[in-house]
């Protein structure tokens, strides 16, 4: 795992954009794994700037979202399909027909999840999976105790995740109780992982992910087993790391 500590969340976005673009270099049809949530917004804003500057072109890219709520109409403004279209597809100039989001609004959720896995396989896998981390250590919506071998499936959200996400919903709306999410095994199949995290609320769980034991109680700790996992965090999110000075030293002393 490579850990980069940045001054602030703007720098997190810029460094993460460098990583994403470097990993997509030379790919005619780049395949992006897309996260929603607040964490990657600076990264997407930076990718938009780089695309406008001609550094990268997403017109032919394929996109696969990590997760979706169950029972929310895909046209609902808070569905992850709509959120991805608004915050990623449109700003980056991706083709909406080439961006897939798990389907949480069909009768046969299991069959739809299997089709989603198949579509990712047919695309040749994810070149770069963008990730955030939940305050309980989830990635995608793989809540604590999720199987490390899991594939795309229905999960029940924890109360903590529903509370965390309540900020997006109006007072009279209830946060969905279930989701469809790529599994931890699915995420681990991506060729590159780029995780971004910022702010003091993430400090404890970021330390557990990077320095704690690999445990299903912190699903993101599975990143310790990935060969190409880049974790880009700001100073506030790095506050609980025992090895913060080491990570700074590594970043400042790259071999020529
Ligand atoms: C979203 C997702 C989640 C979020 C996580 C952090 O597609 O997969 O794992 O990345 O809940 O959310 P934020 O970034 O809003 O703190």
């Amino acid at each position: 795992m490579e850990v980069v500590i940045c001054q602030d969340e703007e720098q997190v976005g810029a460094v993460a954009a460098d990583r994403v673009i470097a990993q997509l270099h030379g790919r005619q049809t780049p395949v992006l794994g897309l996260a929603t949530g607040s964490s990657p917004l600076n990264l997407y804003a930076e990718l938009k700037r780089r695309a406008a500057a001609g550094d990268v072109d997403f017109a032919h890219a394929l996109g696969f979202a990590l997760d979706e709520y169950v029972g929310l109409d895909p046209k609902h403004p808070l569905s992850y399909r709509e959120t991805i279209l608004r915050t990623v597809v449109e700003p980056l100039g991706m083709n909406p027909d080439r961006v897939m989001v798990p389907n949480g609004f069909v009768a046969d959720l299991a069959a739809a999840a299997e089709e989603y896995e198949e579509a990712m396989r047919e695309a040749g896998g994810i070149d770069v999976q963008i990730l955030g981390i939940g305050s309980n250590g989830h990635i995608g919506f793989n809540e604590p105790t999720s199987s490390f071998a899991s594939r795309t499936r229905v999960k029940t959200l924890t109360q903590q995740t529903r509370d965390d996400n309540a900020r997006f919903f109006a007072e009279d709306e209830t946060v969905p109780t279930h989701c469809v999410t790529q599994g931890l095994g699915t995420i681990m199949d991506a060729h590159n992982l780029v995780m971004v995290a910022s702010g003091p609320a993430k400090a404890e769980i970021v330390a557990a992910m990077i320095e704690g034991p690999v445990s299903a109680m912190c699903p993101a700790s599975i990143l310790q087993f990935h060969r190409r996992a880049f974790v880009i965090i700001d100073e506030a999110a790095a506050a609980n790391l025992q090895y913060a000075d080491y990570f700074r030293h590594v970043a400042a002393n790259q071999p020529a």
Side-chain angles (χ1 to χ4, degrees):
M1 189 186 290
E2 188 177 334
V3 181
V4 179
I5 302 175
C6 299
Q7 282 159 15
D8 52 36
E9 55 185 331
E10 282 72 35
Q11 198 185 6
V12 169
V15 171
D18 285 341
R19 290 289 179 177
V20 170
I21 292 169
Q23 305 310 336
L24 298 181
H25 185 72
R27 302 278 295 135
Q28 293 296 319
T29 312
V31 186
L32 274 177
L34 303 169
T36 56
S38 310
S39 306
L41 292 179
N42 282 306
L43 163 59
Y44 295 139
E46 189 61 28
L47 288 176
K48 177 185 174 181
R49 275 192 283 278
R50 307 280 179 99
D55 297 350
V56 63
D57 182 2
F58 294 107
H60 301 289
L62 283 167
F64 288 90
L66 275 173
D67 38 23
E68 177 59 284
Y69 290 119
V70 166
L72 207 58
D73 189 314
K75 298 238 174 322
H76 189 290
L78 291 179
S79 77
Y80 279 7
R81 161 165 291 283
E82 278 297 307
T83 305
I84 288 278
L85 289 175
R86 204 171 50 240
T87 59
V88 189
V89 175
E90 210 231 311
L92 268 52
M94 295 176 83
N95 177 349
D97 295 337
R98 293 172 69 79
V99 177
M100 269 60 75
V101 179
N103 196 338
F105 208 61
V106 276
D108 194 342
L109 292 165
E114 186 42 52
E115 279 167 27
Y116 198 68
E117 288 275 334
E118 183 57 30
M120 282 187 277
R121 273 193 294 275
E122 269 176 26
I126 307 288
D127 291 316
V128 183
Q129 176 64 59
I130 295 165
L131 294 169
I133 182 171
S135 58
N136 63 2
H138 73 212
I139 50 175
F141 274 137
N142 294 282
E143 303 286 35
T145 74
S146 289
S147 164
F148 282 168
S150 51
R151 313 300 305 186
T152 303
R153 71 213 181 289
V154 174
K155 280 293 285 183
T156 304
L157 298 172
T158 60
Q159 192 55 43
Q160 186 175 350
T161 296
R162 295 184 68 222
D163 291 347
D164 285 349
N165 287 6
R167 68 190 194 277
F168 298 114
F169 288 81
E171 260 179 40
D172 57 343
E173 286 183 309
T174 47
V175 184
T177 52
H178 292 81
C179 66
V180 182
T181 180
Q182 288 189 32
L184 292 172
T186 318
I187 292 170
M188 288 295 282
D189 283 349
H191 305 305
N192 298 277
L193 303 180
V194 173
M195 147 113 27
V196 285
S198 51
K202 297 289 171 73
E204 197 179 323
I205 201 67
V206 160
M209 167 182 70
I210 296 172
E211 296 175 342
V214 174
S215 161
M217 286 302 284
C218 178
S221 64
I222 196 175
L223 264 62
Q224 294 180 32
F225 282 132
H226 199 283
R227 291 174 61 214
R228 299 181 61 78
F230 300 104
V231 178
I232 304 158
I233 55 181
D234 70 356
E235 288 286 353
N240 286 27
L241 287 173
Q242 286 178 48
Y243 274 70
D245 282 342
Y246 173 69
F247 297 132
R248 290 189 193 97
H249 173 78
V250 171
N253 294 280
Q254 291 290 306

